[in-house]
Amino acid sequence: DGARTATVATLGVLLADHKDNFLTNAHTDDYVVRNLADNLIKMFNIFVQKPKFAALVAGGGDQLTAYLKDVALPRLRTAATKTGVPLANRNHYLRVLRAFVQLGDSIAPSATPPLFDVPSGSIAAMATDHRHDAVHRGLAFDLLAALPDRAAVAATLAAKATDMLAFEQLWAHFGGLDSDDIVDVVVKRLQAAQQRAETQLPLAVLQSLSQAINNRDVDIGKFAYVDDEDEPPPPEDKMATIITLARACDAAAKNVYKEFSTAAVSSATSTPGGTPGGGGGGGGGGGGGDEDERCTEMVELLTCALRERPQCEPLLQLSLTPPTIESVAMCSALSSEFTEKTWMHCILPFLNEQLDKMSLHGVSGKQIEQEVVDFVRECARLYYINKDHVPSATIGYLLLKTILNCVRHGYVETERFPFLAANIIIYHYQDARNSAAAGGAAGSSAKVPPPLEWLRECFRSSIAHQRLQLRAVEEIAQRLLGQHDDLDGDLDAAAAGTTISAAQQRDVLLVLATIDDESCFYFWQQLAASSPKIIKSNERAVKKLLSTVQRMVLAAVDKRRVDSRKVDACAEMLRALEPCINHRCAAPLFQLTLQVLALKPLAHQSGYSDETLSRIARKIPPDVGLTLPCCLEALERCGSLTREALCAFVPHLLLTDPDTSVRAEALRVLRYRSDLLVPYCNMIIAAAHATGTISGTDVDAVLDDATLAVAAAPTLAQLAIVHSPAVVAVVEFLVRAAKTTRFNDPQEKPDIGVLLAIDVIAENKSMGELALAFTERGKKRDLQLLQKVAKLSPKWRKVVEAMEHSGILQVCRSASDTAAAGAAAAATSAATSSATTATTTTATSTGAVPAVVAARKVKKSSGSSGKIRKNSSKGNTVDVAAGAASTITTLLEEDKLVGEIEKACNDKKPMVALYLCNQLRSTSSTTFQQRGLPLLRCRILPLLVTTNAIPTPTNAAAVSSSNGDVAPEFSDGVLQNYNQYMSAMRQVQSLFIDEAERALQLQRRIDDLNEAKVRKILSTEGPMRARLWMSENRVAAPHLLTLVEMYELQGAVVAAHDPAAATVAAATTGGAA
């Protein structure tokens, strides 16, 4: 008892019982109060820690306890809460009160109410008042934390907290996140603040949550995500509570944030030089003014939470919904923390959803869209560039589809998405092959197709809808085939270990061959142009591609609906495939090309279709051939080039073709088709005759006659051998063909092929058969034909002599003389009437005065001839009339020829004029010297140069002034059509050699063209091919032979120094030969 009394007295001295208002006096010295508080705290600590002193207050109801409860505690409580007391003194009193509470807990830990009861309301008001400094509020929070009724304190703080410090203490020390009631109170306050458009409260809550997580005051490490969204999270989970508070804060802050953004924009637009945009959101933070942004406090909270719990999918959904620049960038920065499940279930679906909202007309330039695309690339970097994680096939497939979605919206070059997509496919393809080789199963889900089948996603029309996207997917396929190697930067290391094998190329092409999309057709077209060797070495893929096109055509026919763009792309692809296929694929390719062209309107079919089909048809082996319906369809739709190629299969159907070259080819082929010669005998003979004549006014008709004559001669000879009734018609045609080809030969000699055909008939038919063929009709014309053919062939001359010795021809001549005498009078009358008519017509059209005068003279002489003696014989009268008619006809023909020459010059047809001039010379040398020669020198020969019928070197000035030191040069078109130009110059030289040499230096032009052609062949095909060409074209100029020998010597020198180069050169030269 004495000790208790002494302790009470001591406490009375310390608490200044002897002086009223000592503790609450504003003038009490701070040093005194601090020493007083320290001593009281030491005394209370001794009561708690020392057992012998604890016995002094153990009873709880004695004098000391009563004094502490009734005197000391109220006095200190009043001093701590009174506003007039200096703040420093109040801080000391709060320390003492906390010691009081701890003493009461040690004396009576389970007492209700507490032994030393400190009201929490006033202390909580002091702690939540943001006007006080942090030290004072911290001491108040320490006191509140020492109170036993923490739930009541938490409820008070939840209702009164207004700043970050208060809320942080609520979460960290009072279990605010563990109580649904506390959370509900805060959420309601946030909703009210949202309605009142207050910004301080939501920002304070966000900052307090971030601070609590950073300081580890809140344990959020026990979260277990529940797949069922309707099922509530576990009670111990604090992340769900944080997400709830964050959503409420985000809604409240965003409302104020948007209003601030609107005000800022209005202010900026009304102020000269102002820039629309955002500013701070108030209360210590805030984002910009764009709807794609979030306040800084919200982003900081999400960053802190995701750093601790990156696998929390509800937190990710909160972070990314709605998507803002800051939130997407923040999640992208934390991408290395996400697991594969998080990527597949949350992030990649979100990225695809955002990509689908973007425009398909190109990159918009919005920052939020760029952040989304960078997020996609970050995922690819983690799994396939840096390879920080081992990806499964499932995430690879989902990531590939996301990358293709980026490509679809125009993000191609900068992000290198084509390379990443190809790398993904290659990685999983090789992984699957390695797993299969090891006897295990590839690490992919049953829902994911094999890696190479992912190419179908690349070549969808929705992806490659523009040229930029088409180039991107083509690059993907090219990289899979090993045809694209322009790597740089951080992608080199990722692709360093990637090698493309022949098996991979084959597998890739087999997959591409089954895709019937427009974009894939364009890729095949590009591949055929850039890498034809790949297609040539994968015949199986080509056949599969043709089967795919066949199915597409059948589907279009069944549906009666044609996609014009796909059909155009398919037609272009088939055209490009033509150089890459072999003879085994030629027939299916021809049929498919024809079917695809049939799907296009005739107005849209271009000229190259005919060229393509003709080249394909020439590759088809004769033993394979084409079906008759296919040939008939081609004959109906295609041009002359294709019809000419189809002569190898159905020559009999092309004998009536209007094109001369087609009929000529059909006649050539029929030579080897003995089964078709006799059935189509009449058609073959008719087809051999061109529409023009030898004396026609168009040089094309003359050339057609010569072409058909040369082509038909061997065939008709074979026909005459196997079919005797056709001998006369065939020989008649061959005689005419010899005359036709003589006009086209520089030396005026018949074509050797025609002469050989004539000889073949004589060699293979007996004299009896030939005699029967030429005498059975009893016509004089046949006998005359026999004499003509005897002049052309020594073998026929022997046959005719044998017939003469046998007496066959004498009988036939005597039988035909009778009919000839009766026809003479009719011929004279017809000649006279035709001469009169021709005189009138020619005089009217050409104004040929000499012809009219000559006609009048003939008429006058014929009138005076009536005075001839009456006893003149009838035969003499007929001879005179025939002579007069012949003179008139000759004059009129000369005038007509001169008019035709002038007309040909006016029409700029120098070759026609040249032939007509030659005809005039053969008709009358006098008329030619007077009228034809001036036209030849002044008009026809210069016109040959101006119309480019005779070529001129492009460096003509240099050649003429160099004395042979400068090689002549001609354009590629002239060299490609060498035979045509050389034939024209030879014809001119053969007809008028002196005039052509004086006016044109024609031999110099011929030599220049030969030299240019030889140099061209030497530079492209080698000396062996040049020698062969010179031999074929009979070019034997010494300087050209020397030039070829120099090239051969140069090749030998190269071979001596570089055997490898010599091998290549030899192979090239041999191939050319």
Side-chain angles (χ1 to χ4, degrees), residues 622-805:
D623 55 339
V624 175
L626 293 170
T627 61
L628 183 59
C630 180
C631 293
L632 294 176
E633 179 73 15
L635 294 179
E636 180 181 355
R637 286 186 168 273
C638 301
S640 59
L641 295 177
T642 304
R643 299 199 304 272
E644 184 176 345
L646 290 177
C647 291
F649 311 109
V650 285
H652 55 290
L653 299 181
L654 294 161
L655 291 173
T656 58
D657 195 276
D659 193 279
T660 304
S661 60
V662 177
R663 296 206 310 274
E665 183 65 21
L667 290 170
R668 292 190 192 96
V669 174
L670 282 171
R671 176 185 180 184
Y672 308 101
R673 297 291 300 273
S674 57
D675 57 321
L676 298 176
L677 289 176
V678 177
Y680 295 93
C681 171
N682 295 331
M683 292 182 63
I684 293 173
I685 297 175
H689 293 78
T691 55
T693 60
I694 301 176
S695 59
T697 59
D698 192 353
V699 70
D700 293 336
V702 179
L703 296 178
D704 288 347
D705 273 333
T707 302
L708 284 173
V710 175
T715 302
L716 291 176
Q718 190 68 21
L719 173 63
I721 293 173
V722 300
H723 190 54
S724 296
V727 170
V728 176
V730 169
V731 172
E732 182 180 4
F733 173 82
L734 292 177
V735 171
R736 182 188 176 193
K739 182 180 180 181
T740 302
T741 56
R742 182 173 59 83
F743 279 96
N744 293 331
D745 188 74
Q747 299 178 355
E748 295 187 358
K749 293 182 179 180
D751 185 80
I752 186 65
V754 176
L755 298 180
L756 290 177
I758 294 175
D759 290 342
V760 166
I761 297 175
E763 292 173 354
N764 291 274
K765 302 292 286 187
S766 65
M767 186 191 71
E769 293 175 331
L770 295 177
L772 180 61
F774 281 92
T775 59
E776 64 178 349
R777 295 190 302 178
K779 292 184 178 181
K780 188 175 182 179
R781 179 181 177 184
D782 295 346
L783 300 179
Q784 294 173 350
L785 177 62
L786 198 58
Q787 298 298 328
K788 292 179 181 179
V789 72
K791 295 178 181 179
L792 294 174
S793 172
K795 295 181 180 180
W796 275 93
R797 191 178 303 117
K798 293 181 180 180
V799 173
V800 173
E801 291 175 355
M803 291 182 182
E804 290 281 0
H805 292 310

Side-chain angles (χ1 to χ4, degrees), residues 314-335:
L315 181 61
L316 271 172
Q317 293 174 359
L318 173 63
S319 302
L320 298 173
T321 307
T324 63
I325 297 174
E326 292 83 359
S327 60
V328 175
M330 176 262 299
C331 293
S332 178
L334 297 173
S335 58

Side-chain angles (χ1 to χ4, degrees), residues 358-364 403-413 417-418 421 455 457-477 517-520 522-523 565:
M358 298 181 187
S359 172
L360 293 176
H361 301 292
V363 179
S364 65
I403 288 176
L404 293 177
N405 206 354
C406 294
V407 172
R408 176 173 176 250
H409 290 85
Y411 293 92
V412 179
E413 287 90 353
F417 280 139
L455 276 171
E457 299 291 336
C458 302
F459 287 97
R460 292 187 184 276
S461 299
S462 58
I463 300 297
H465 60 93
Q466 291 181 352
R467 187 60 188 168
L468 175 65
Q469 288 77 6
L470 180 60
R471 288 200 304 268
V473 297
E474 287 176 353
E475 181 181 344
I476 294 174
D517 198 273
E518 173 189 350
S519 57
C520 193
Y522 280 122
F523 169 74
R565 294 183 58 182

Side-chain angles (χ1 to χ4, degrees), residues 505-551:
Q505 284 186 350
R506 181 192 65 242
D507 295 343
V508 171
L509 288 176
L510 288 176
V511 173
L512 291 173
T514 60
I515 303 175
D516 61 345
D517 198 273
E518 173 189 350
S519 57
C520 193
F521 292 156
Y522 280 122
F523 169 74
W524 278 100
Q525 177 186 350
Q526 295 297 327
L527 184 64
S530 60
S531 304
K533 292 183 180 179
I534 295 180
I535 300 180
K536 292 178 180 179
S537 59
N538 288 274
E539 181 181 344
R540 180 183 171 191
V542 174
K543 291 182 178 179
K544 202 165 190 178
L545 176 62
L546 297 181
S547 301
T548 301
V549 176
Q550 180 70 50
R551 289 194 299 271

